[in-house]
Amino acid sequence: MAQVPQRILDALAVRTWCGLSLRALGRAREEIDAINVYPVADGDTGTNLYLTVESAVAAVEAVFAAYEVGAAHAADIAEPVGAGDGPSLAETVGAMAHGALIGARGNSGTILAQLLRGLAQVLAVDGEEAHTDGPGLRLALRHAAESARQAVAHPVEGTVLTVAAAAADAADGAEGDCAEVARAAYEGARAALAATPDQLPALERAGVVDAGGHGLVTVLAALVETFTGRAPDPVAATVPHARVERGPQDRAAECAVEGGDGNDGPAFEVIYLLEAGDAAVARLRQRLDTLGDSLVVVGGDGLWNVHVHVDDAGAAVEAGVEAGRPYRIRITHFGHGDAHTTGTGRPPRERAQRAVVAVVPGEGLAGLYTEAGATTVLARPGEPPASGELVEAVRRAHAREVVLLPNDAELRHTAAAAAEQARTEGVRVALIPTRSAVQGIAALAVHEPERRFDEDVVAMTSAAGATRYGEVVVAERQAWTTAGICQAGDVLGLIDGDVALIGANVTEVAATVLDRMLAAGGELVTLVLGDGAPESVAGHLEARVRKAYLAVDTVVHRGGRQGALLLVGVE
């Protein structure tokens, strides 16, 4: 179906481009994974690019949602809302770049994040300007290509960097509006992509084009569709002189077995976000460059995404600790156990019959769920997992049947998308719409893998549904709630997702929430304490239950850094 074209590059055009890019990468993901030869033939470039853009889309949608909420509040109090009330171009491209930065995966995803950051640095320079035109887009594409190349320690031709530079060169020669510039950039990138096998021996041997470059051409095709309403024809993943009797995945695997580029490199991929200053990051680049290869450090303004291939993963993380505060650390072994590794001679691991995959809000609960046999996905405050992360967790679980627990009402659609994707891969998935981690605990407590799948799902769903859930949190800003207007710093008591009361003392609010939840009866109270909760609150609540509710038991868990001060479950 044709897309309604955007005539200028404004906030809505950026939103449209992000959405179209995600859709296009979703369609091309498997093909891009299959031709992933350089720098490591691990078959995940398409997936990494998809997850990176998915994070960018989520950030852009959050900006638009914030303005929509503000408009609704203004309407409630009869304040006028101007026709132009909405995110600016600067806000939107800033959100896009930040989302890509924090969600960047793999070598190509990290470079794409820097490309988007480079775009944003130019497009946001005019502050509150509503839009930009063709010349502005040309400048943005040029700066994007240059900043991405600068982020890579040792740039190699025949990669996504080459494709980005060709796109910028072609755009420089284009006259006219954004549509003309986007079309020229796409055509330049497409021609450069077709030439990548002549620049990299690993690509020539495998008979494929560069996977990261293919992903960038896909994103530029979405930019053309944004401004013209129609997507260009798909690009070829293989080259004409390649042997045609075998698929690109077979040729990529053969290339790796024959000792192609990247096969005899470092054993681990290390990625983490880093809070650090510019000087510390400059020293970190030098240190990591001596430890391994494929070094890419992107970001700025105190937040960086670090990617490197090394043999000593611990040393790479320690270098980050010396530079600042690393977090969201991901270490992947390129050898055995990688779902994408082919030609290793190792027999495939036997699938389990059934597994549980759960999203958890803190390290403490992650440990609890893991001890109970679940595969966990950590959702840090303000960083909800994307659907691709849930699909990855389902793959890690390596089971024929999977029960998925999102443990958050706002993750239901994300989890549904992940379940649908997993089903296309032959996994039987049941989604239980748990809205809190305490409901997930109740579901996991009655989980019995030996039962028939449907019976197990019914029992877990029933246990979760019979568990009321509450939270005690601190308000970050002034807002309208179902209990009235709260101010920043107020203590909020939530029951079943709605704000039930506003107070000033954590223990008092927690006690009131617990009393209201137990008013309808209950047999077991589950308390999950966050790092910010007062030490005395658990003892106070346990004593209150023992005194006022004689037949009710209490269980206390430490949740760690989970966002809420306290989670409460009543079964």
Side-chain angles (χ1 to χ4, degrees):
M1 184 174 64
Q3 171 70 31
V4 177
Q6 304 294 317
R7 303 188 65 85
I8 55 176
L9 184 55
D10 59 3
L12 182 58
V14 172
R15 185 187 198 184
T16 302
W17 178 34
C18 287
L20 290 174
S21 295
L22 185 64
R23 189 174 71 181
L25 285 171
R27 292 193 299 263
R29 180 184 62 80
E30 291 185 0
E31 181 181 46
I32 296 174
D33 281 346
I35 64 171
N36 179 194
V37 172
Y38 185 89
V40 177
D42 53 351
D44 61 359
T45 290
T47 299
N48 288 337
L49 289 169
Y50 180 88
L51 292 173
T52 302
V53 173
E54 187 177 45
S55 182
V57 169
V60 169
E61 291 302 319
V63 169
F64 274 86
Y67 272 88
E68 290 166 4
V69 170
H73 287 167
D76 288 341
I77 59 176
E79 285 188 354
V81 179
D85 283 359
S88 65
L89 174 61
E91 289 174 305
T92 309
V93 295
M96 173 186 69
H98 181 74
L101 176 67
I102 65 173
R105 300 296 188 88
N107 191 67
S108 294
T110 308
I111 293 173
L112 178 60
Q114 186 65 12
L115 285 166
L116 296 180
R117 177 177 170 81
L119 279 169
Q121 287 174 325
V122 172
L123 297 176
V125 74
D126 291 329
E128 296 303 313
E129 284 295 316
H131 67 272
T132 194
D133 52 12
L137 180 57
R138 286 203 304 268
L139 289 173
L141 289 169
R142 169 57 60 194
H143 185 66
E146 292 174 351
S147 63
R149 186 170 287 269
Q150 291 167 3
V152 178
H154 302 286
V156 174
E157 297 306 324
T159 65
V160 62
L161 297 176
T162 305
V163 175
D169 289 342
D172 284 343
E175 300 293 339
D177 59 10
C178 289
E180 291 301 319
V181 173
R183 189 180 291 110
Y186 166 76
E187 292 297 342
R190 181 173 180 168
L193 177 66
T196 55
D198 297 328
Q199 298 171 290
L200 268 179
L203 302 180
E204 184 180 29
R205 282 194 296 271
V208 298
V209 298
D210 179 65
H214 191 313
L216 178 58
V217 171
T218 301
V219 171
L220 289 173
L223 185 63
V224 173
E225 186 177 1
T226 299
F227 293 119
T228 67
R230 294 192 178 278
D233 293 333
V235 297
T238 57
V239 293
H241 62 269
R243 288 166 288 176
V244 297
E245 70 273 10
R246 308 182 69 190
Q249 181 69 70
D250 297 317
R251 291 194 294 273
E254 182 183 79
C255 176
V257 172
E258 291 174 352
D261 296 50
N263 185 57
D264 55 353
F268 297 97
E269 177 184 60
V270 178
I271 304 175
Y272 50 80
L273 292 179
L274 177 70
E275 293 178 354
D278 292 357
V281 170
R283 292 191 296 271
L284 174 65
R285 288 178 191 268
Q286 296 176 350
R287 171 66 177 142
L288 293 179
D289 198 24
T290 65
L291 291 175
D293 58 30
S294 296
L295 174 60
V296 186
V297 181
V298 304
D301 302 320
L303 180 62
W304 309 81
N305 190 305
V306 179
H307 171 280
V308 67
H309 294 171
V310 292
D311 282 320
D312 189 344
V317 175
E318 288 173 6
V321 173
E322 292 174 2
R325 187 179 79 87
Y327 61 104
R328 292 186 71 172
I329 300 167
R330 297 176 61 86
I331 300 174
T332 303
H333 194 285
F334 287 129
H336 57 273
D338 193 314
H340 301 294
T341 301
T342 56
T344 61
R346 299 174 183 273
R349 180 164 59 97
E350 181 65 25
R351 284 184 178 271
Q353 181 59 34
R354 189 174 308 159
V356 176
V357 172
V359 179
V360 291
E363 291 85 352
L365 280 181
L368 175 67
Y369 272 76
T370 300
E371 288 176 7
T375 298
T376 61
V377 178
L378 192 61
R380 295 174 175 83
E383 300 175 4
S387 64
E389 293 179 79
L390 301 188
V391 174
E392 282 190 345
V394 171
R395 291 171 182 153
R396 287 203 314 273
H398 204 61
R400 299 180 182 88
E401 302 167 338
V402 171
V403 180
L404 185 55
L405 306 175
N407 291 341
D408 187 335
E410 295 185 359
L411 286 178
R412 182 170 181 177
H413 295 300
T414 300
E420 189 61 33
Q421 173 62 36
R423 292 183 188 115
T424 67
E425 299 178 8
V427 182
R428 188 180 183 188
V429 182
L431 171 61
I432 298 179
T434 48
R435 294 168 289 175
S436 172
V438 291
Q439 287 189 323
I441 292 172
L444 200 55
V446 300
H447 168 55
E448 292 185 13
E450 296 77 18
R451 278 192 298 222
R452 289 178 56 246
F453 185 64
D454 292 338
E455 292 176 354
D456 197 29
V457 171
V458 167
M460 295 176 73
T461 303
S462 178
T467 302
R468 301 192 71 193
Y469 65 98
E471 293 181 59
V472 177
V473 301
V474 176
E476 296 181 354
R477 58 184 177 276
Q478 184 186 57
W480 292 80
T481 76
T482 51
I485 300 176
C486 71
Q487 305 295 328
D490 284 347
V491 180
L492 310 181
L494 289 77
I495 298 177
D496 292 339
D498 293 323
V499 178
L501 70 152
I502 301 171
N505 182 276
V506 173
T507 302
E508 292 176 1
V509 169
T512 303
V513 166
L514 185 58
D515 286 342
R516 292 189 185 183
M517 293 177 69
L518 284 170
E523 299 175 355
L524 176 66
V525 170
T526 300
L527 303 174
V528 182
L529 300 177
D531 281 345
E535 288 295 327
S536 60
V537 67
H540 179 85
L541 295 178
E542 285 184 287
R544 191 180 190 89
V545 171
R546 284 196 302 269
K547 181 178 180 180
Y549 307 97
L550 300 180
V552 179
D553 293 325
T554 305
V555 177
V556 179
H557 302 292
R558 294 283 175 177
R561 183 172 173 261
Q562 63 182 25
L565 298 176
L566 177 69
L567 300 178
V568 183
V570 174
E571 301 177 46

